[in-house]
């Protein structure tokens, strides 16, 4: 088959980009590699660097069968540089260069804009590893621990993917940016990560599942729009990253789903009907549904901020330039230039929330965010199906876009999760009904007892329906070093 590009694993840096013939880039990456390993040892999973983890490693970019599974110590993971196969005669699919051949080199006039897009994407990858580095110690099972580590090594690989682009196409300033990506730290005072949600803490496993459901899904949307890029190497690298991102969202969705399932089953078994009787539900050793809703409110609102301002000239410029497209751009039936189109944007008009038609070009962040919201809502419906099947009367819901925002139209107002505006004092009195409180956090933390016997799970979460790589229920996904 011609679409399979096998990966060269004889090299220290596995790749399908012909790195051994590209001495300049190979040397630059070899120079960066030790710093990366130091970063991984300092900021990667705390306490499990010697553990043997049942991980998948990409061995080709063929969508069917690109991975192999085996036990690996994480610092020895084969982080590779993998681009999806080139599409012959690919054309720029949007913007003012619509229909011109896709660029194989950086177009000079857009160099700075393109570098910034790559750096912002690159910065999120190590950030999430940093945010999740303590979670191994409280994993609810070896299965979950393995999934966490899989996500972590792949975020590491995504950093490699962006660093390759920087080294290969941006010369000296690319090298400097690649160094900076290893220097910034999530939550640091002097050198924080670039985006807000990536400086938040991920204190417990429910946060981790919410993060992989909501924040990795933002990642998916960003990668989808960069996969449309007229700069072909970026498009190809993002297309391959999306195959890995799918697993991250699987971890989030099944993690939340299993948590919800366990709560409902425990309530049923104990004859507890009232979902608001938080004390009674918590006494069962599970997380009550209202607290799960509060966690969802928090993570969804933080993730909405990642899309930036609803109306943005940067977004318009990146689209016009052919660098960042829309979600599934090539499947959209229009002129792909948007010069005369409008798009409805929710805005604050005279103290009220109203829909205003804005030029479609400047409303691209809003449009991508709407696509994201639809994707999230489908997942939430699947959670509601789980609750429904157990016969418990409760529904989870996405909060309104005006709720708890720090960026965009609604950053200066307070709103309830259903979008009713309120004053600051009312917000302060009600905040803990909408978002996780300190005592909610303490309760969840009290459940985070590690379970490391194969096939066993913590009290608050159901086992998965099937194992990873079809392994049986008692499979030892992580062999923790003695
Ligand atoms: Fe990623
Ligand atoms: Fe991810």
């Amino acid at each position: 088959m011609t679409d399979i590009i096998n990966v060269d694993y004889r090299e220290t840096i596995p790749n399908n980009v012909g790195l051994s013939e590209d001495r300049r880039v190979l040397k630059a990456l070899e120079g960066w590699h030790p710093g990366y390993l130091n970063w991984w040892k300092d900021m990667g999973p705390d306490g499990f660097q010697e553990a043997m983890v049942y991980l998948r490693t990409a061995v080709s970019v063929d969508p069917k069968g690109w991975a192999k599974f085996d036990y690996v110590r994480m610092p020895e993971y084969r982080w590779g540089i993998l681009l999806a196969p080139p599409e012959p005669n690919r054309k720029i699919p949007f913007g003012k260069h619509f229909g011109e051949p896709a660029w194989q080199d950086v177009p000079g006039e857009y160099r700075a804009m393109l570098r910034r897009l790559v750096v912002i994407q690159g910065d999120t990858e190590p950030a999430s590893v940093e945010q999740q580095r303590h979670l191994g110690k409280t994993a609810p099972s070896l299965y979950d621990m393995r999934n966490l580590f899989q996500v972590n090594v792949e975020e590491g690989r995504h950093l490699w993917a962006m660093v390759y682009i920087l080294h290969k196409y941006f010369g000296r300033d690319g090298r400097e940016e690649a160094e900076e990506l290893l220097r910034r730290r999530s939550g640091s005072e002097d050198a924080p990560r670039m985006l807000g949600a990536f400086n938040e803490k991920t204190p417990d496993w429910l946060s981790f599942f919410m993060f992989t459901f909501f924040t990795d899904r933002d990642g998916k949307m960003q990668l989808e729009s960069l996969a449309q890029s007229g700069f072909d190497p970026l498009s190809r690298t993002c297309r391959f990253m999306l195959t890995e991102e799918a697993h991250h969202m699987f971890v989030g969705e099944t993690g939340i789903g299993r948590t919800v399932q366990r709560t409902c089953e425990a309530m049923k078994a104990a004859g507890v009907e009232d979902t608001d009787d938080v004390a009674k539900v918590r006494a069962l050793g599970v997380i009550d549904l209202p607290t799960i809703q509060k966690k969802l409110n928090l993570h969804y609102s933080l993730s909405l901020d990642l899309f930036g301002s609803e109306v943005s000239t940067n977004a318009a410029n990146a689209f016009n330039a052919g660098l960042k497209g829309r979600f599934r751009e090539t499947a959209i039936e229009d002129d792909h230039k948007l010069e005369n189109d409008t798009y409805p944007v929710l805005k604050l008009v005279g103290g009220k929330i109203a829909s205003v038609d804005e030029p479609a070009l400047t409303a691209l962040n809003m449009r991508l965010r709407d696509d994201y919201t639809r994707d999230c809502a489908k997942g939430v419906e699947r959670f509601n199906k789980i609750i429904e099947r157990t016969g418990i009367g409760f529904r989870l819901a996405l909060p309104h876009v005006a709720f708890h925002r720090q960026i965009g139209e609604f950053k200066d107002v307070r709103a309830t999760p259903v979008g009713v505006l309120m004053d600051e004092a009312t917000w302060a009195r009600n905040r803990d009904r909408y978002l996780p409180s300190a005592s909610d956090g303490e309760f969840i933390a009290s459940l985070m007892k590690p379970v490391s016997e194969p096939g066993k799970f913590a009290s608050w979460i159901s086992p998965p329906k099937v194992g990873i790589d079809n392994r049986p229920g008692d499979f030892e996904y992580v062999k923790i070093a003695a």
Side-chain angles (χ1 to χ4, degrees), residues 24-90:
R24 182 188 66 79
V25 177
L26 179 62
K27 269 189 82 178
L29 285 168
E30 283 174 349
W32 184 81
H33 197 168
Y36 172 81
L37 284 176
N38 286 339
W39 167 81
W40 179 268
K41 285 177 187 159
D42 285 353
M43 297 311 292
D46 185 16
F48 294 90
Q49 301 283 343
E50 290 302 309
M52 297 296 278
V53 187
Y54 193 68
L55 293 175
R56 70 173 184 187
T57 302
V59 289
S60 87
V61 290
D62 176 36
K64 308 183 265 319
W66 56 268
K68 83 173 174 34
F69 287 82
D70 206 352
Y71 285 103
V72 183
R73 283 192 188 86
M74 285 184 278
E76 290 158 21
Y77 188 74
R78 307 301 309 276
W79 283 287
I81 296 162
L82 302 154
L83 270 57
E87 245 175 64
N89 306 316
R90 182 168 174 260

Side-chain angles (χ1 to χ4, degrees), residues 41-299:
K41 285 177 187 159
D42 285 353
M43 297 311 292
D46 185 16
F48 294 90
Q49 301 283 343
E50 290 302 309
M52 297 296 278
V53 187
Y54 193 68
L55 293 175
R56 70 173 184 187
T57 302
V59 289
S60 87
V61 290
D62 176 36
K64 308 183 265 319
W66 56 268
K68 83 173 174 34
F69 287 82
D70 206 352
Y71 285 103
V72 183
R73 283 192 188 86
M74 285 184 278
E76 290 158 21
Y77 188 74
R78 307 301 309 276
W79 283 287
I81 296 162
L82 302 154
L83 270 57
E87 245 175 64
N89 306 316
R90 182 168 174 260
K91 303 277 190 286
I92 299 168
F94 59 90
K96 64 180 177 210
H97 302 283
F98 176 77
E100 296 173 21
W103 299 297
Q104 299 306 324
D105 277 305
V106 175
E109 53 181 320
Y110 305 134
R111 192 170 187 279
M113 208 193 305
L114 189 53
R115 189 185 64 211
R116 186 160 173 81
L117 289 172
V118 172
V119 168
I120 290 177
Q121 182 60 43
D123 194 65
T124 65
E125 312 291 357
S128 60
V129 176
E130 293 163 5
Q131 288 169 291
Q132 295 160 12
R133 67 182 299 255
H134 298 297
L135 291 173
K137 292 184 168 161
T138 54
S141 71
L142 291 181
Y143 167 88
D144 290 290
M145 185 190 280
R146 176 260 165 219
N147 285 351
L148 165 72
F149 295 158
Q150 182 72 56
V151 170
N152 291 162
V153 293
E154 285 175 351
E155 299 304 5
R157 204 201 68 73
H158 293 175
L159 173 59
W160 274 93
M162 292 298 120
V163 163
Y164 168 72
I165 298 277
L166 288 170
H167 278 308
K168 167 93 179 155
Y169 298 98
F170 290 93
R172 185 213 293 218
D173 44 334
R175 284 200 297 282
E176 285 165 4
E177 294 285 11
E179 289 303 320
E180 288 298 295
L181 287 168
L182 293 178
R183 197 179 66 84
R184 286 187 289 272
R185 291 283 184 273
S186 175
S188 154
E189 292 262 308
D190 10 296
R193 292 294 173 183
M194 296 169 84
L195 303 174
F198 291 89
N199 288 302
E200 299 281 334
K201 286 203 160 62
T202 309
D204 57 65
W205 275 77
L206 184 54
S207 299
F208 170 64
F209 293 140
M210 291 288 174
F211 187 97
T212 39
F213 183 87
F214 286 111
T215 310
D216 282 79
R217 192 178 309 272
D218 159 71
K220 164 185 153 179
M221 301 309 290
Q222 303 301 334
L223 292 174
E224 287 272 8
S225 51
L226 293 173
Q228 305 292 336
S229 185
F231 178 52
D232 204 45
L234 181 61
S235 166
R236 289 174 57 200
T237 200
C238 289
R239 270 188 277 144
F240 187 72
M241 288 161 79
L242 280 164
T243 62
E244 294 164 313
E245 211 56 67
H247 177 69
H248 306 181
M249 276 170 294
F250 161 85
V251 170
E253 174 153 346
T254 55
I256 299 172
R258 288 161 54 213
T259 307
V260 165
Q261 169 108 25
R262 180 74 196 105
T263 299
C264 293
E265 283 172 357
M267 287 175 70
K268 270 285 166 196
V272 178
E273 295 275 318
D274 183 2
T275 51
D276 286 329
D277 196 338
V278 167
K280 235 185 192 168
V281 176
R282 288 184 177 184
L284 305 171
V286 295
I287 306 172
D288 52 284
L289 297 171
T291 297
I292 294 174
Q293 176 68 59
K294 286 196 246 179
K295 282 280 207 187
L296 187 157
N297 290 348
L298 174 65
H299 285 269

